[in-house]
Amino acid sequence: MVIYRECGHQGPADVEFCGECGRYLKWDDEEPVAVRQPVAQAQVVQPAEPLAPVRQPPQRTAEEQVLRPGDLICGRCGKGNVPTRNFCGRCGASLAESEVVKTSWWRRLFRRGPREHKAGERPGKDGVRRRVGRAGAARRQVGKAVRRVIAVMLVLSALIYALYQPFRGAINTAAAGLWSQVTGIFETKLNPVRPSKVTANAQSPGHPGNLVSDNAKNTFWAATAQGEPVLVFTFDHPVDLRKAIVHSGNGANFQAAHRPKTLHLVFSTGKTYDMVLADTPDAQEIPIENSAGATSVELHVVGLHRSLDGMDVAISEIELFEAG
């Protein structure tokens, strides 16, 4: 270590800028001379005010360097600096926001060096683990070997899963079954509920409103599409509806009548909910919300999938389910 004549700070002799104040130390025309600190007499070094160089340092060719974990990478010239420096040793730039060299993930996984204790710590003091003998060392070696085997097995399993379709299918099937079992524990059980009465504000001859809840797919409720057809379901107890299964249209001739596109539900509690239906003859499962405590619900047909053949709107069946 030497003391720089220009600023009075102490540091290594092979750097171009002071690590404390950032002063350039090696002008071409006036090369600074590093004065060695006397051994016999301790010298108190007073920090100097940071001084910016008045001219740019000479350009130098890039040199190879070995970066170690914890080194500070200069954002201006890319040189690695020890963590104790405040300014770059090559260009003098501030290292306040420099990038820190990190240890590679694979080194952290497969190598774990000895723990460095802080000043004042020693094994067995204040929770610091004591050194162990041969048995402890053997256990650590076994633990390292087990971790490496597990890591290799995980990598091989991932490769087999990605490349071998039967293995991937078996894993997916097992995962789906496990997920179904887990979610089944937390899902609310739903029970079918039938209305005690079904009425409609409009209906075509031979197709009254109660046919939407007769548990038959070959019958249907039909009403003129003029205005706003409404079905009213009345229950004999307060319900908390969670799901509906809807069969739209005329079951025997799907294109013979309009199909509902949107059903606006108005519950006896005053709350509402909209069910949006696809234009398909297949059964559709639609979630229901906001119905807790309702004793009746009105189903307003407010949107249609239109037919080219018929003039009425038709619904074959509506099945309702409440929380159990």
Side-chain angles (χ1 to χ4, degrees):
M1 302 294 289
V2 296
I3 297 176
Y4 307 131
R5 175 179 298 175
E6 289 79 0
C7 62
H9 290 114
Q10 181 177 344
D14 58 347
V15 297
E16 300 180 12
F17 287 84
C18 177
E20 294 293 332
C21 67
R23 183 184 181 92
Y24 185 61
L25 304 173
K26 296 183 179 181
W27 300 114
D28 290 340
D29 53 353
E30 48 181 17
E31 183 74 17
V33 179
V35 180
R36 296 188 175 275
Q37 183 178 6
V39 178
Q41 180 179 359
Q43 180 178 356
V44 179
V45 179
Q46 298 295 332
E49 294 294 330
L51 298 176
V54 296
R55 55 179 176 175
Q56 295 294 330
Q59 297 293 331
R60 297 181 181 272
T61 58
E63 57 183 7
E64 295 184 0
Q65 57 179 334
V66 178
L67 299 179
R68 293 175 294 274
D71 283 357
L72 305 177
I73 305 300
C74 177
R76 178 186 295 176
C77 67
K79 177 178 174 58
N81 296 267
V82 294
T84 57
R85 292 188 64 89
N86 297 325
F87 296 90
C88 177
R90 175 187 291 170
C91 67
S94 174
L95 300 176
E97 298 182 357
S98 59
E99 183 180 356
V100 181
V101 178
K102 298 181 180 180
T103 305
S104 303
W105 66 269
W106 56 272
R107 288 185 179 273
R108 295 196 302 268
L109 179 63
F110 293 104
R111 285 188 180 181
R112 185 174 65 179
R115 177 184 175 186
E116 296 182 0
H117 300 300
K118 298 180 180 179
E121 290 185 346
R122 65 176 182 270
K125 178 183 178 182
D126 298 332
V128 180
R129 188 171 55 185
R130 293 180 179 273
R131 293 185 178 180
V132 295
R134 294 182 178 179
R139 286 195 297 270
R140 287 199 300 271
Q141 293 297 328
V142 172
K144 290 182 180 179
V146 170
R147 288 195 298 271
R148 292 178 181 178
V149 170
I150 293 175
V152 172
M153 292 179 62
L154 290 176
V155 172
L156 291 178
S157 299
L159 291 175
I160 296 174
Y161 179 85
L163 301 177
Y164 189 53
Q165 196 279 333
F167 179 77
R168 183 167 62 251
I171 293 297
N172 291 343
T173 301
L178 180 61
W179 176 256
S180 178
Q181 294 179 7
V182 173
T183 55
I185 299 175
F186 302 99
E187 288 182 350
T188 302
K189 182 180 179 181
L190 300 181
N191 298 320
V193 56
R194 296 182 62 83
S196 58
K197 183 174 65 173
V198 178
T199 58
N201 69 341
Q203 58 189 27
S204 299
H207 301 285
N210 62 344
L211 294 182
V212 299
S213 185
D214 63 350
N215 204 26
K217 308 302 185 296
N218 57 351
T219 61
F220 58 93
W221 164 71
T224 178
Q226 300 295 329
E228 186 176 285
V230 180
L231 286 168
V232 180
F233 284 45
T234 303
F235 305 96
D236 57 6
H237 65 278
V239 296
D240 184 7
L241 302 177
R242 298 295 183 88
K243 183 178 72 172
I245 299 179
V246 181
H247 300 260
S248 292
N250 179 346
N253 187 355
F254 184 71
Q255 293 292 340
H258 303 310
R259 285 81 58 191
K261 181 178 182 180
T262 304
L263 293 177
H264 179 65
L265 278 59
V266 180
F267 302 102
S268 59
T269 58
K271 295 184 178 181
T272 62
Y273 186 74
D274 288 340
M275 294 196 307
V276 179
L277 304 175
D279 191 18
T280 175
D282 300 328
Q284 303 180 58
E285 292 191 9
I286 310 296
I288 300 178
E289 300 177 5
N290 303 332
S291 69
T295 56
S296 65
V297 56
E298 300 176 1
L299 290 83
H300 297 250
V301 181
V302 296
L304 296 175
H305 294 291
R306 295 194 173 273
S307 169
L308 298 177
D309 300 332
M311 299 296 295
D312 295 342
V313 59
I315 301 177
S316 295
E317 191 75 15
I318 297 179
E319 304 174 57
L320 298 175
F321 297 83
E322 65 176 343

